[in-house]
Amino acid sequence: MSKKLVITEKPSVAKELAKVLGTNQKTKTYFEGDQYVITWAFGHLLSLQLPEDIKKEWQQWRLEDLPIIPKHIGLKPLPKTGGQLKAISHLANRKDISGAVIATDSGREGEAVARYILEWIKFDKPVERLWISSQTTKAIKAGFANLKPAKQFDNLYASALARGHADWLIGLNVTRALTTKYEDNLSAGRVQTPTLAFVNETAQQINRFKPQTYYTIHLTVDQQQAALQLANPQSIKTRQAADELVAQLQQAKGQVVSVKTTQKSQVAPLPYDLTELQQVANAKYGLSAKKTLSLIQALYEIHKVVSYPRTDSKYLSTDIEETLKERLSALVKFDPRAKQYLGQGSQVKQKAVFNDGKVTDHYALIPTEEPVRAEKLSTDELRMYRLIVERFLGLFADPYVTAVTKAAVKFGEQIFTFKQTKVVQQGWHATDKEGQLTATVDWQEGMAVRANFAVKEQLTTPPKPLTEGTLLGKMEHYGLGTPATRAEIIEKLVRSELLERQGHALAVTPKGQQLLQLVNQTLVSPELTGKWEQSLEAIAKGQENPKAFITEIEGATKTLVSEIKKSETKYRDFAVTNKKCPECDHPLKERNTRDGKFYVCTNCHYRRRKDPKVSNHRCPQCHKKMVIIEGQGGAYFRCLNDGTTEKMLDKKDRKKKISKHEERRLIQKVNQADEPAESPLAAALRKAMEK
């Protein structure tokens, strides 16, 4: 009996598919049943070749070799993936395997994960595609009952290939050009460079900002206050001018010249797409874009309670409408409003949410028909789930209706406009109660108003620094990256020491500021990268030729490299310190890593913490805690109290000790790079060790 080979993106997904499809025979590299053999990747098993894989001479980075534009860029296995690739190849060549099913993530990168594998193993049997937007049992069964020919997704794969080649050509060539010309690790790219420029531009606006004093005039009536209406609210620049205007107003009679009440109806906001949810999570909970994505991925993949995370749509396709009652039912125990809306016939009030034309690969983020077990969720997972549920329930709620009364009060020729709002219908807006008033003045046309003025001194405020949330908004507006890639772009900028987090705000490092001066201004501009992203979307829809796109990218690569070669801009490495390497006497550089700040030598392998890490290892002489020092010979424990040094050994060698000669050599070299014995740092470390 013939079987189909199913390729998933990771083992956990393979396990879930096997459970649903009854594929119960488990081996080290696959599950097998009567109809399917289910295997897995570990994300990408293959990547595009590096220059040195194509031509050995390109292994050494030389400015004169650039630009590198190969006629063909092949694939290469990533480290430690050979075993799984071999296993998949063996399965594919079995005589009982009649075809393959791509069951990787339903998106551009997921398509590339599987297609790379099939291309590498030279698979020549029919291929089908599983395309689902949730990981529930119902969705998986429906998806396998409606498998699509993989050929329908050829354009999506062409877009993935074009994106990979474009990033290879521009990112690799520009990074090598900058690094070799200025002799420092300078990373630039098609999307990351304009993203960095957004943060820098806002910072420059803040630095250039000079606060200006201005004055406003306010009228108070029964504790309700309104400001004087001016064409430019900041036009009164001096206190004297404000006082003179108040004196004129006090000479005039105040009267209500108009009272207008209008009713405003506001429907609930649409469900989230990934980018908006990342923005809200960052603003409300301080979560990074990457963290938010991982939380939603867990809700989707592990708990199966939300739809596909990496969506750029806030709309639902019309065929989803028939599933909403079941999704509401799953929320009955989680939120009492779900039972209320079910009792009303599960009627969607926000009809604009159904729009097939605005649903791309996946519809908006909404709950699935799987009831949530809140006790199984982490605090942050529960926060994300509540946000998604709140938007979903809003679709069934009545509009938020308010009655807004505006009263215009005139003193001479000057107008003050008072505004008060009454909630007529609470609807989806749970925070305001019906009948609630923001003020209680009974405005009547012709009513006399007593002069009760106040002058307030104000200061203009600078722009706010960009947070991850506001940066994501800018990236989305200019079409930089996709919902699936934006979080990783920000993380890469941080890892490259071009961007750093300062509380909730983002800031460009001195190295990042230098990079923006050195790199080509056409690459800094978001317009060009946005245009390229639009081309990739057009390729995915079959509206643009990928070969023409790559030809354009190759031309841009040649121009960018040529401009860097001709540039006369000077570079200063802000990471270089005045400390010397104890191994080779080369200046040490300060590096930020996920493990903290380190002094590193780019000439040899010496590396040590800027603030030495206190270990739990005790000095054999004085029994105080030792710090960890890392050098060319490996990592060492050192006691700051008496200088005792021991090498950090593997478990099997921990009883061995270094020789006296080696110990004296290490102590001497560590001392050369360490802080003075009586420095505040040394004192703080001693206190920590004494505890």
Side-chain angles (χ1 to χ4, degrees), residues 13 16-17 132-137 139-140 300-301 304 306 368:
V13 176
E16 187 59 32
L17 294 188
I132 54 178
S133 289
S134 68
Q135 290 280 332
T136 64
T137 299
I140 291 169
Y300 165 72
E301 192 174 291
K304 308 181 194 311
V306 302
T368 66

Side-chain angles (χ1 to χ4, degrees), residues 277 291 320 359 390 440 597 637 645 683:
L277 185 54
K291 176 66 173 177
I320 297 299
V359 175
E390 189 67 33
T440 56
K597 292 187 176 183
F637 293 119
T645 303

Side-chain angles (χ1 to χ4, degrees), residues 131-134 138-139 271 307-308 315-328 346 348 353-356 359 361-369 392 395-396:
W131 195 270
I132 54 178
S133 289
S134 68
K138 182 178 179 180
S307 58
Y308 183 75
Y315 294 85
L316 304 177
S317 50
T318 51
D319 63 324
I320 297 299
E321 186 169 9
E322 63 186 32
T323 72
L324 298 189
K325 182 177 180 180
E326 191 174 358
R327 296 171 194 262
L328 258 184
S346 309
V348 175
V353 74
F354 300 110
N355 191 326
D356 291 338
V359 175
D361 293 337
H362 297 278
Y363 52 79
L365 260 167
I366 58 173
T368 66
E369 64 275 10
F392 177 70
L395 301 178
F396 303 90

Side-chain angles (χ1 to χ4, degrees), residues 50-110:
L50 293 172
E52 54 266 34
D53 302 317
I54 302 168
K55 190 175 179 180
K56 191 175 181 181
E57 291 80 1
W58 288 340
Q59 183 167 7
Q60 186 175 352
W61 289 31
R62 291 188 295 257
L63 190 59
E64 56 269 26
D65 290 340
L66 304 175
I68 296 172
I69 303 179
K71 291 182 179 179
H72 174 72
I73 305 173
L75 297 172
K76 60 175 283 188
L78 289 168
K80 300 180 181 179
T81 63
Q84 191 64 14
L85 278 170
K86 187 176 179 180
I88 296 173
S89 179
H90 174 73
L91 292 171
N93 290 323
R94 278 175 31 176
K95 291 182 179 180
D96 62 338
I97 296 296
S98 60
V101 177
I102 296 175
T104 48
D105 223 1
S106 301
R108 189 165 70 185
E109 280 308 298

